[in-house]
Amino acid sequence: MTMIVQSEVAEKPTQVIAGWFTLTPRTAIFIAIGLLCAALLLAVQNDRVVLAEKTRQASVQAQILAASVAAPLAFDDRTATQEYLNALRTNPDVRAAGAYDVRGKLVSGFSSSGSRLPSSNLVSEPMTVGGELIVRQQVKQGDTKLGSVYLRTSLESWARRAMRYVGIALIVLMASLLIAVLGSSYASLREAHRKLQVEIGIREQAEEALRQAQKMEAMGQLTGGVAHDFNNLLMVASSGLDLMERTTDPAKIERLKNGIRQAVERGAKLTQQLLTFARKSPMHPEVVDIGERIRGMDALLDRSLGEHIQIEVHAAPNLWPIEVDPSQFEVALLNIVLNARDAMPNGGLITIAAKNLSADENAPERVQISVSDTGVGISSEMRSKIFEPFFTTKGVGQGTGLGLSQVYGFARSSGGDVQVDSELGSGTTISLLIPRSHKALPIREEGSRTKSVRRDQQRVLLVEDDDHVAEMVAEMLDTLGYQSERATTADEAIVKLEHGQTFDILLSDMVMPGQKSGLDLVRVISRRWPTLPSLLMTGYSAAAASATNENMRLLLKPFALEDLSAELEAISADGRRER
């Protein structure tokens, strides 16, 4: 997973940069041409502005000159007129200036070298000739025309114009260079992005191969551990049945029966470990007194540990209640204790402690159940792996690697957590941290096991597709005194009910052939025959979770005769209360 995260992080900045600089070489050329055209338009507009300004300035000068020479022209004073004209010589932009009488004849004036004054002057709008601006202005005294003035100025020096155009050219050049750099950078970035995409693809393929290898390794561990344990259990059951057929000794038969029953219980426990780790095993939480529950496991723990292991239980007074699946809690605690036992091959002390933990800023009120041993401890490298499925340091056949993974699955499913404190040579402490429950403890009835109650008059519609399972369940029902009739599918059960057959209880498997499952069958019955109580049974975790989510009664396979009797009696009691 780390490689995938790194690839995604590396890809995002690339996409952002590519988004900002989506500039291809063709686009760069178009932009450069656009900048050049914009520069030319700017130059033309600048020339227009300069011409307009020069025209305005020259017109003002011509008006001033016309006002100045009005009196000299009126008195035909050529000397005074020439003095006013000579005042303009100091202006380098003025190339020629002249004063004319009312008939348009030249009175006086001057011109720069290489240029001549016109012999006559006709008043007109300002005009440009070559690089010069010519302005003619009427000289008046009131409404009397006295003559005219002529003024010729240069528009702009070539040096000044060149400087302006060089500045614009530099701006265009810099912009073009910037565009070229961006285009080149984008090309490089695009190539780098392509290579990164290829690398990401290679990494994803490598990770997929790694995940597949990990799956195969896990399957190898599963088949090496779980299958070995199941073969041992099957060996106990099959050999026990063979020996029971060859003996008539009641004591020996009883021992063989106990051995077979223990093998079946161990197989069911192993299956529950697998389902609990996957967090698909349906949980049946109850509010429990955890101190009482731990003390009630004394006999089980003593049998499991052996004489070389001592065990002490320290439960604090007034422990808060917690809401957990009692059977799953017992399995989790037993798994921790068995791991502690295996960590002390030469014997030692196991301490089970329970106490309340007050709430803090990071966690609510919780109950801590810890198991400490004086064994070899766990290295820091192994500490991060002990809750992984199928991970075990034991040899083949000595463990499946599912014990502590079941502990982790139970804790997380119960809303809690697991903590491990261990050092090599100093023992290990594994703690379950379960949230406090504010619900009241249930009132316990006398007697921990439900007695079998015979119901000779009650008929059970048994829906089960497997012939062997159906035969055994029918025998169990007969032993409890119920009359049963079998249907192999949900559709067949509905047909029986539609034909008027009457039943007191429906007992149905959940996963069956046909279009309807056991859950679908119960839904149909609840609509069409609402007075018929239903009980589902399954060994499939997903189906069990579906039934639990809809609050339907459920028996998990394999189940004992007492479990079946208790559920059927509970259904009957519910029916009596409703009536």
Side-chain angles (χ1 to χ4, degrees), residues 224-240 259 262-264 266-267 270 396-399:
V226 178
H228 184 277
D229 285 355
F230 268 113
N231 281 333
N232 287 341
L233 300 178
L234 293 174
M235 178 62 189
V236 172
S238 61
S239 60
Q262 289 178 3
V264 173
R266 286 177 59 194
L270 186 57
V396 176
Q398 297 179 0

Coordinates of all heavy atoms in Angstrom, one line a residue, residues 224-240 259 262-264 266-267 270 396-399:
G224 N -1.6 -25.4 5.8 CA -0.7 -26.1 6.6 C -1.1 -26.2 8.1 O -0.7 -27.2 8.7
G225 N -1.8 -25.3 8.5 CA -2.2 -25.3 9.9 C -3.6 -25.7 10.2 O -3.9 -26.7 10.8
V226 N -4.6 -25.0 9.5 CA -6.0 -25.3 9.7 C -6.4 -26.7 9.2 O -7.0 -27.5 9.9 CB -6.9 -24.2 9.1 CG1 -8.4 -24.6 9.2 CG2 -6.6 -22.9 9.6
A227 N -5.9 -27.0 8.0 CA -6.2 -28.3 7.4 C -5.7 -29.4 8.3 O -6.3 -30.5 8.5 CB -5.7 -28.4 6.0
H228 N -4.4 -29.2 8.8 CA -3.8 -30.2 9.7 C -4.7 -30.5 11.0 O -5.0 -31.6 11.4 CB -2.4 -29.8 10.1 CG -1.7 -30.8 10.9 ND1 -1.8 -30.9 12.3 CD2 -0.8 -31.8 10.5 CE1 -1.0 -31.9 12.7 NE2 -0.4 -32.4 11.7
D229 N -5.1 -29.3 11.6 CA -6.0 -29.5 12.8 C -7.3 -30.1 12.4 O -7.8 -31.0 13.2 CB -6.2 -28.1 13.3 CG -5.0 -27.5 14.1 OD1 -4.0 -28.3 14.2 OD2 -5.0 -26.4 14.5
F230 N -7.9 -29.8 11.3 CA -9.2 -30.4 10.9 C -9.0 -31.9 10.7 O -9.9 -32.7 11.0 CB -9.8 -29.7 9.7 CG -10.7 -28.6 10.1 CD1 -10.4 -27.3 9.8 CD2 -11.9 -28.9 10.7 CE1 -11.3 -26.3 10.1 CE2 -12.8 -27.9 11.1 CZ -12.5 -26.5 10.8
N231 N -7.9 -32.3 10.1 CA -7.6 -33.7 9.8 C -7.5 -34.5 11.2 O -8.0 -35.6 11.3 CB -6.3 -33.9 9.0 CG -6.6 -33.6 7.5 OD1 -7.7 -33.8 7.1 ND2 -5.5 -33.2 6.8
N232 N -6.9 -33.8 12.1 CA -6.8 -34.5 13.5 C -8.2 -34.6 14.1 O -8.5 -35.7 14.7 CB -5.9 -33.6 14.4 CG -4.4 -33.7 14.0 OD1 -4.0 -34.7 13.4 ND2 -3.7 -32.8 14.5
L233 N -9.0 -33.6 13.9 CA -10.4 -33.7 14.5 C -11.2 -34.8 13.8 O -11.9 -35.5 14.4 CB -11.1 -32.3 14.3 CG -10.4 -31.1 15.1 CD1 -11.2 -29.9 14.8 CD2 -10.3 -31.4 16.5
L234 N -11.0 -34.8 12.4 CA -11.8 -35.9 11.7 C -11.2 -37.2 12.1 O -12.0 -38.2 12.1 CB -11.6 -35.6 10.2 CG -12.3 -34.4 9.6 CD1 -11.9 -34.2 8.2 CD2 -13.8 -34.5 9.8
M235 N -9.9 -37.3 12.4 CA -9.4 -38.6 12.8 C -10.0 -39.1 14.1 O -10.4 -40.2 14.3 CB -7.9 -38.5 12.9 CG -7.2 -39.7 13.4 SD -7.4 -41.1 12.2 CE -6.7 -42.5 13.2
V236 N -10.1 -38.1 15.0 CA -10.7 -38.4 16.3 C -12.2 -38.9 16.1 O -12.6 -39.9 16.7 CB -10.7 -37.2 17.3 CG1 -11.5 -37.5 18.5 CG2 -9.2 -36.9 17.6
A237 N -12.9 -38.2 15.3 CA -14.3 -38.5 15.1 C -14.5 -39.9 14.4 O -15.3 -40.7 14.8 CB -15.0 -37.4 14.3
S238 N -13.8 -40.0 13.3 CA -13.9 -41.3 12.5 C -13.5 -42.5 13.3 O -14.1 -43.5 13.3 CB -13.2 -41.2 11.2 OG -11.8 -41.0 11.4
S239 N -12.3 -42.4 13.9 CA -11.8 -43.5 14.7 C -12.7 -43.8 15.9 O -12.9 -45.0 16.3 CB -10.4 -43.3 15.1 OG -10.3 -42.1 16.0
G240 N -13.2 -42.8 16.5 CA -14.1 -43.0 17.6 C -15.4 -43.7 17.2 O -15.9 -44.6 17.9
G259 N -14.9 -38.0 23.5 CA -13.8 -37.6 22.5 C -14.4 -37.0 21.2 O -13.9 -36.0 20.7
Q262 N -15.8 -33.6 21.9 CA -14.7 -32.6 22.0 C -14.1 -32.2 20.7 O -13.8 -31.0 20.4 CB -13.7 -33.1 23.0 CG -14.1 -33.2 24.4 CD -13.0 -33.7 25.3 OE1 -11.9 -34.0 24.9 NE2 -13.3 -33.9 26.6
A263 N -14.0 -33.2 19.8 CA -13.4 -32.9 18.5 C -14.4 -32.0 17.7 O -13.9 -31.1 17.0 CB -13.2 -34.2 17.7
V264 N -15.7 -32.3 17.8 CA -16.6 -31.4 17.1 C -16.6 -30.0 17.7 O -16.6 -29.0 16.9 CB -18.0 -32.0 17.2 CG1 -19.1 -31.0 16.6 CG2 -18.1 -33.3 16.4
R266 N -14.1 -28.5 19.1 CA -12.9 -27.9 18.7 C -12.9 -27.4 17.2 O -12.5 -26.3 16.9 CB -11.7 -28.8 18.9 CG -11.2 -29.0 20.3 CD -10.1 -30.0 20.4 NE -9.0 -29.6 19.6 CZ -8.0 -30.4 19.3 NH1 -8.0 -31.7 19.6 NH2 -6.9 -30.0 18.5
G267 N -13.6 -28.2 16.4 CA -13.8 -27.8 15.0 C -14.6 -26.6 14.9 O -14.4 -25.6 14.1
L270 N -12.6 -23.6 15.9 CA -11.7 -23.1 14.9 C -12.4 -22.3 13.8 O -11.9 -21.3 13.3 CB -11.0 -24.3 14.3 CG -9.8 -24.1 13.3 CD1 -8.8 -23.2 14.0 CD2 -9.3 -25.4 12.8
V396 N 4.3 -26.5 12.2 CA 3.1 -27.0 11.5 C 2.3 -28.0 12.4 O 2.9 -28.9 12.9 CB 3.5 -27.6 10.1 CG1 2.2 -28.2 9.5 CG2 4.2 -26.6 9.3
G397 N 1.0 -27.7 12.5 CA 0.2 -28.6 13.3 C 0.1 -28.1 14.8 O -0.7 -28.7 15.5
Q398 N 1.0 -27.2 15.2 CA 0.9 -26.7 16.6 C 0.1 -25.4 16.7 O -0.1 -25.0 17.8 CB 2.4 -26.5 17.1 CG 3.2 -27.8 17.1 CD 4.6 -27.5 17.6 OE1 5.0 -26.4 17.9 NE2 5.4 -28.6 17.6
G399 N -0.2 -24.8 15.6 CA -1.0 -23.6 15.7 C -1.4 -23.1 14.4 O -0.6 -23.3 13.4

